[in-house]
Amino acid sequence: MANIESITLEVADPAAAQQFYATAFGLDTRLRVRESQAPTDGFRGFTLSLTVAQPANVDLYLDAALAAGATSLKPAAKSFWGYGGVVQAPDGAIWKVATSSKKDSGPAAKEFESFVLLLGAADVSASKRFYVDHGLTVAKSFGKMYVEFGETGPVKLALYGRRALAKDAGVAQEGTGSHRLAVASSVGAFTDPDGFAWEPAQLAVNH
């Protein structure tokens, strides 16, 4: 079984990024940062998502992120699928916080049910085959639109078409340069068809 231990964001200022993420999301060892000056511009081809239990939790996370310096891309709102919003962290990473529930069931709490990495793929079917060949199992698949992989440990993985993912995030799909992202897992080192880098978990350390 493929186990994704953590996500590493490559940032210009690790200390500032660590402070932001500790204040906004508090993801402990699932999220790491390290310094990078690699050029990047526009949409970096991925989003990070927290799935929570109720709308009040969505608001609590998004308010904390905005207070810590994030920029709102999509204010929290109800939709046919639930309730959620999108922000962009000071380092440029895009975060969505959402719930399938439309009503609160208790006091607001900074608690999440899952932490999901969504990769924007040029060809979802090709990327799906690539990941299956690397030991991941498919939990849900909707043709060429969306793929969700099965048990991957602390971090879940899903694929969207790049255009659809950018639209969901509220940004233009164009982007160039480094993804500034590394996935630390038990499946070794490789680069996927869209240029996303995977590395052994022990290499994913903060600097």
Side-chain angles (χ1 to χ4, degrees):
M1 182 183 75
N3 201 54
I4 302 176
E5 295 291 341
S6 64
I7 300 301
T8 299
L9 294 175
E10 298 179 343
V11 301
D13 187 339
Q18 287 174 342
Q19 179 63 39
F20 169 80
Y21 286 116
T23 302
F25 301 127
L27 288 169
D28 57 64
T29 59
R30 300 181 209 210
L31 182 73
R32 302 176 184 274
V33 299
R34 65 186 177 211
E35 186 173 7
S36 173
Q37 301 296 333
T40 186
D41 183 66
F43 183 45
R44 284 156 52 183
F46 71 91
T47 65
L48 296 160
S49 179
L50 296 181
T51 303
V52 301
Q54 60 179 359
N57 295 4
V58 172
D59 291 335
L60 193 62
Y61 273 115
L62 293 178
D63 288 347
L66 293 171
T71 301
S72 178
L73 295 178
K74 280 189 173 182
K78 290 183 180 179
S79 69
F80 70 92
W81 51 260
Y83 181 83
V86 183
V87 297
Q88 188 166 31
D91 64 85
I94 295 173
W95 291 79
K96 181 176 184 178
V97 186
T99 178
S100 59
S101 174
K102 296 183 180 181
K103 293 184 179 180
D104 292 326
S105 56
K110 266 195 172 183
E111 299 172 348
F112 62 90
E113 298 174 339
S114 58
F115 175 34
V116 186
L117 169 63
L118 297 104
L119 301 180
D123 184 332
V124 172
S125 296
S127 292
K128 172 186 172 181
R129 289 193 298 272
F130 177 87
Y131 280 111
V132 169
D133 289 344
H134 280 77
L136 279 71
T137 58
V138 175
K140 298 178 182 178
S141 182
F142 299 95
K144 298 179 180 180
M145 297 294 295
Y146 175 80
V147 176
E148 183 178 305
F149 294 97
E151 294 299 322
T152 53
V155 183
K156 292 186 177 182
L157 178 68
L159 304 175
Y160 261 129
R162 181 184 172 98
R163 182 191 299 271
L165 184 59
K167 182 179 179 180
D168 185 63
V171 297
Q173 68 168 322
E174 291 76 21
T176 59
S178 173
H179 293 299
R180 287 202 178 184
L181 174 81
V183 183
S185 78
S186 62
V187 296
F190 58 84
T191 300
D192 85 350
D194 296 288
F196 291 101
W198 288 55
E199 61 190 26
Q202 64 268 24
L203 295 183
V205 295
N206 285 349
H207 293 291

